[in-house]
Amino acid sequence: MAHRVLVCGAVVVFYTWVLYPLFLRLLTLFPSRIGRVVSREKIPFISVIIAVHNEQETIAAKLRNCQELLPHAQLEIIVASDASNDRTADIVNMFAARDSRIRLLEGASRAGKSGMQNLAAAQARGEMFLFTDASTEIPPGVLQTMMDDLDDPAVGLVTGTVFFGHPENAVEKGQGFYWCYELFLRATESDLGILATGSGQALLVRRELFRPLPPCYGDDCIIPLDVRLQGYRVVQDRRAIVFDTMPHSIEGELRTRIRMTARNWAGTLSRPALLNPLRFPLTALGLVSHKLLRWLTPFFLTIILLSNALLAFHGQASALWWLQVGFYLSAFIGWRLARHQKRAWLFGYPFSFCLANVGFFLGIIKVFRNQKIVAY
């Protein structure tokens, strides 16, 4: 029995992290049926929506960045402040006094990121909404590239390719490798027309496809799902590179992973039609393989470890047991080095993998306990 449990757990983990990416790569070898129809008659009006809470350190640079995205007449910039109690509002008002394109919306009480995005979208005038974060830098020309993708009437949403700058510690080095893996999956799914996720740092969506966001779900999860449900493609453009910062601490990275897992797990399951293989066969496969099974990985890893320990106690599968012990010991060493701000070398990769899976585990536990994350 323990042997069967071990094999089943190992197969699921191996499929999720190795076989599924290989399967996607294999599909890209076949000719794509995805075409491109350019139909632009005029430059659309864009509403840039930035939901913020206490962003006095970053909002000035963000507004200067947004001012350069498009010609003056084709852009409005809406900053939706979620009951900020620092100088965020004063800084935005100072910019708004000099640039009529900039508006400030303030919430009286904490509504969360999604709630403020809904408020801004309801008052926005644009034909397209660009959702972005205060810490994100969008280079000149990127918005134009994303708009070009939306010239194809089959495309409903374009998401940027996020780079996290130069790694400075063990957490960032490992997550940089992990993020490259994630970007490969997203880009390949985009090429196949089955992508159903995005990056909240830069999401450009057609106004008519936007649906109000439930407060406990993430915009990077639920907006792409709603676009796919309406029959439109989600595209991640490799050329649309934007830059963001990564948490510089173990605790910060863990909190981010927990929050994203809890909000996105619930958000994904809230759109069950996309998990129906009869309606959306490859999209359903992608959501299960890329998202749901990955978030469940720590549970399968626990099953593998416990069943392997039982077998090793009876003299079976001892080599695999010692491989697991060595892997988790390497992760522990990576953690110790990171805690003392020392270079983790190769130990940073198993540590980052384990850190991500601890975040997955705690995020799923929050879901099972019905703990909803709205404001953060």
Side-chain angles (χ1 to χ4, degrees), residues 264-335:
N264 290 353
W265 173 277
T268 301
L269 294 185
S270 72
R271 303 296 187 265
L274 284 172
L275 298 173
N276 183 348
L278 298 180
R279 289 189 60 187
F280 300 92
L282 287 178
T283 298
L285 176 67
L287 287 173
V288 171
S289 305
H290 183 171
K291 302 181 79 172
L292 300 183
L293 287 180
R294 185 188 298 187
W295 294 328
L296 291 173
T297 293
F299 298 92
F300 290 111
L301 290 175
T302 303
I303 290 172
I304 293 170
L305 185 64
L306 295 178
S307 59
N308 199 176
L310 181 61
L311 289 171
F313 182 77
H314 292 89
Q316 303 178 53
S318 298
L320 180 58
W321 164 252
W322 286 113
L323 281 174
Q324 291 192 76
V325 170
F327 178 80
Y328 292 118
L329 180 61
S330 297
F332 176 77
I333 294 173
W335 172 72

Side-chain angles (χ1 to χ4, degrees), residues 108-124:
S109 59
R110 293 297 301 275
K113 181 179 181 181
S114 299
M116 298 311 298
Q117 289 172 324
N118 289 336
L119 176 64
Q123 300 191 35

Side-chain angles (χ1 to χ4, degrees), residues 76-95:
E76 70 170 350
I77 303 165
I78 303 175
V79 179
S81 176
D82 188 19
S84 297
N85 54 19
D86 64 355
R87 296 187 58 251
T88 298
D90 294 336
I91 296 171
V92 175
N93 284 328
M94 182 180 65
F95 273 83

Side-chain angles (χ1 to χ4, degrees), residues 67-333:
Q67 287 174 314
E68 300 173 354
L69 293 179
L70 278 182
H72 189 280
Q74 301 305 130
L75 188 75
E76 70 170 350
I77 303 165
I78 303 175
V79 179
S81 176
D82 188 19
S84 297
N85 54 19
D86 64 355
R87 296 187 58 251
T88 298
D90 294 336
I91 296 171
V92 175
N93 284 328
M94 182 180 65
F95 273 83
R98 301 195 301 262
D99 190 338
S100 61
R101 297 177 298 173
I102 298 174
R103 283 194 286 157
L104 173 68
L105 300 177
E106 292 191 87
S109 59
R110 293 297 301 275
K113 181 179 181 181
S114 299
M116 298 311 298
Q117 289 172 324
N118 289 336
L119 176 64
Q123 300 191 35
R125 298 180 290 119
E127 302 165 61
M128 299 177 184
F129 298 156
L130 174 66
F131 294 97
T132 183
D133 293 337
S135 59
T136 303
E137 179 184 352
I138 304 177
V142 166
L143 179 55
Q144 185 64 59
T145 298
M146 298 173 75
M147 292 165 57
D148 291 343
D149 290 317
L150 283 174
D151 283 343
D152 185 342
V155 175
L157 180 149
V158 182
T159 180
T161 297
V162 182
F163 281 10
F164 287 103
H166 298 289
E168 296 178 356
N169 57 32
V171 177
E172 288 186 342
K173 286 181 183 295
Q175 290 303 320
F177 178 82
Y178 172 86
W179 187 241
C180 287
Y181 173 84
E182 173 69 16
L183 289 180
F184 164 77
L185 290 182
R186 294 188 185 194
T188 308
E189 289 175 345
S190 176
D191 292 341
L192 296 170
I194 64 171
L195 182 64
T197 190
S199 298
Q201 292 90 341
L203 290 171
L204 183 64
V205 62
R206 299 182 189 276
R207 181 193 185 99
E208 65 270 19
L209 300 183
F210 175 78
R211 299 292 179 266
L213 307 175
C216 55
Y217 304 151
D219 55 340
D220 53 351
C221 169
I222 207 68
I223 297 178
L225 291 177
D226 284 340
V227 168
R228 288 294 296 132
L229 268 176
Q230 295 173 79
Y232 290 80
R233 287 173 46 217
V234 173
V235 169
Q236 176 164 299
D237 195 318
R238 294 174 176 84
R239 304 166 300 167
I241 296 174
V242 302
F243 297 90
D244 201 356
T245 57
M246 182 177 288
H248 293 279
S249 68
I250 297 171
E251 293 78 9
E253 172 61 28
L254 185 60
R255 285 195 299 269
T256 298
R257 190 63 56 194
I258 293 170
R259 182 184 72 244
M260 292 177 63
T261 302
R263 286 166 63 88
N264 290 353
W265 173 277
T268 301
L269 294 185
S270 72
R271 303 296 187 265
L274 284 172
L275 298 173
N276 183 348
L278 298 180
R279 289 189 60 187
F280 300 92
L282 287 178
T283 298
L285 176 67
L287 287 173
V288 171
S289 305
H290 183 171
K291 302 181 79 172
L292 300 183
L293 287 180
R294 185 188 298 187
W295 294 328
L296 291 173
T297 293
F299 298 92
F300 290 111
L301 290 175
T302 303
I303 290 172
I304 293 170
L305 185 64
L306 295 178
S307 59
N308 199 176
L310 181 61
L311 289 171
F313 182 77
H314 292 89
Q316 303 178 53
S318 298
L320 180 58
W321 164 252
W322 286 113
L323 281 174
Q324 291 192 76
V325 170
F327 178 80
Y328 292 118
L329 180 61
S330 297
F332 176 77
I333 294 173

